[in-house]
Amino acid sequence: MFKIFRKNHTTANIELEDNNQLSALKLAAKKTAEEFGVDEQNIQSSIFASAAQGNTIIENRAVFMFATSDKKSRVHTMMMTFKDPIAWGNDKTPIDYLIVGMFPDDTSQDTVNNVIEKISDKLKSANLDDIKFNDGQLNKLNQSFTD
């Protein structure tokens, strides 16, 4: 009933000056810190550690990573789309969706895995080409990850 008041944690059609994975990771950390009111350096460390553990590629075009914070009591997500795909990882998968999960510090790996599974299911059923630059549709999709 009150979902219309939820904050839009999406940013569409991003053009990176340096269209590469490192620039995307830095921007993800900055946007996550801004969106959720947490320390950017801590989030950057957490996101880089998540990326170092391996890439969670979903639907061959979205990458998921996560951060933790003692300032969060429940799971949130933030999503960005890129105007031009970014060659991601060793296999250079063209990524145009980046999703960050923001978890409380004491979150179990099972909880993270469940969120990844839900995101994967939602992305499989979404028409990602049609909504890539539509803020309203991206927001609805992003909200569905934690509903």
Side-chain angles (χ1 to χ4, degrees):
M1 177 161 98
F2 294 102
K3 289 186 183 184
I4 60 171
F5 297 110
R6 287 177 65 175
K7 186 169 179 178
N8 180 351
H9 296 299
T10 59
T11 306
N13 203 24
I14 296 169
E15 290 186 69
L16 294 173
E17 187 173 321
D18 295 320
N19 198 44
N20 60 44
Q21 187 173 338
L22 182 59
S23 293
L25 288 170
K26 287 179 180 179
L27 180 61
K30 181 178 186 292
K31 293 291 292 175
T32 302
E34 289 171 2
E35 291 285 324
F36 299 117
V38 293
D39 180 71
E40 184 176 342
Q41 190 59 47
N42 288 342
I43 295 305
Q44 183 171 331
S45 297
S46 195
I47 285 175
F48 276 61
S50 174
Q53 290 176 8
N55 295 310
T56 302
I57 306 291
I58 304 169
E59 290 299 295
N60 292 318
R61 66 184 299 178
V63 64
F64 173 83
M65 58 198 54
F66 67 94
T68 60
S69 173
D70 61 355
K71 295 184 180 194
K72 292 296 156 196
S73 60
R74 69 177 196 86
V75 177
H76 300 275
T77 56
M78 184 209 54
M79 182 168 40
M80 304 185 316
T81 65
F82 299 98
K83 181 177 181 180
D84 300 311
I86 299 163
W88 204 274
N90 293 335
D91 60 355
K92 307 292 185 204
T93 303
I95 295 299
D96 56 354
Y97 280 76
L98 187 148
I99 303 161
V100 177
M102 186 77 225
F103 294 86
D105 270 344
D106 60 351
T107 300
S108 71
Q109 187 60 46
D110 284 342
T111 299
V112 173
N113 292 342
N114 288 338
V115 170
I116 292 170
E117 185 176 325
K118 187 170 187 179
I119 290 170
S120 181
D121 290 344
K122 297 288 183 178
L123 291 182
K124 285 177 186 170
S125 64
N127 189 337
L128 298 177
D129 288 331
D130 286 350
I131 67 170
K132 181 177 174 180
F133 303 125
N134 183 319
D135 285 321
Q137 291 298 313
L138 287 172
N139 191 40
K140 286 179 188 174
L141 178 62
N142 187 58
Q143 288 178 1
S144 74
F145 300 155
T146 55
D147 282 345

